[in-house]
Amino acid sequence: MSEPLRLSKRMAELGLCSRREADEYIAKGWVKVDGVVVDQLGSKVLPEQRITLDRQAHAAQANRVTVLINKPVGYVSGQAEDGYKPASVLVVPENHWIDDPSGIRFAPGHIKGLAPAGRLDIDSVGLLVLTQDGRVAKQLIGENSVVEKEYLVRVEGKLSDSDLRLLNFGLSLDGEKLKPARVHWQNEDQLRFILTEGKKRQIRRMCELVGLKVTGLKRVRIGNIMLGNIPTGQWRYLGPTERF
């Protein structure tokens, strides 16, 4: 027999929304199980039961925005720490990229609840995603995420062919073997890394293990979304038809 699961957890597993959003929708009576409204938090369902969202939940999701920032050095990805400001403070009208192709107009409500979908170290630059949409966060940083992240990494030191192979596969961090990566020379002092995971300071620590020192790190792509020409410190919206 199938074991019952919390409704909010099952909704997140199905990619309908995040668990936090699921609790919000349940409390508002926007969730049906096998056609019946379920509005009690903590309710459980069987895996085979059909879960649907009310049109009001779909409308709420449609109004949530995702922001792409070209993060400069000196900003942290999430909450302020050690006197450094979070990158979210950059999401103000004066920093909105004038060539934003999304067609979305800025509204004050777009700032509320923006959370980073992935880290970018304080001394790293490039593409950082902030989102109000739990579905986007789950896709990018969920336990089973396979979305690629691409980086240009400037390094100092010598790298043998065998150590380059190790960067591609064979290293471990925190007692766990790293997933296969794609690493190759971009030019004489810069490597291109493509990863599908994001351990804390992963690239810098990988480079240390093979005797390299990272002197610059820039994220240029997440999935299908490129950093492109967004100026440093500016941002744009993820467009309605764009997908990671």
Side-chain angles (χ1 to χ4, degrees), residues 96-117:
H96 189 185
W97 184 32
I98 194 170
D99 292 325
D100 183 345
S102 69
I104 301 172
R105 296 184 64 178
F106 176 81
H110 293 167
I111 298 174
K112 183 180 179 182
L114 276 180

Side-chain angles (χ1 to χ4, degrees), residues 209-220:
L209 289 174
V210 295
L212 295 177
K213 179 183 177 182
V214 172
T215 60
L217 191 153
K218 182 177 185 177
R219 184 157 60 204
V220 296

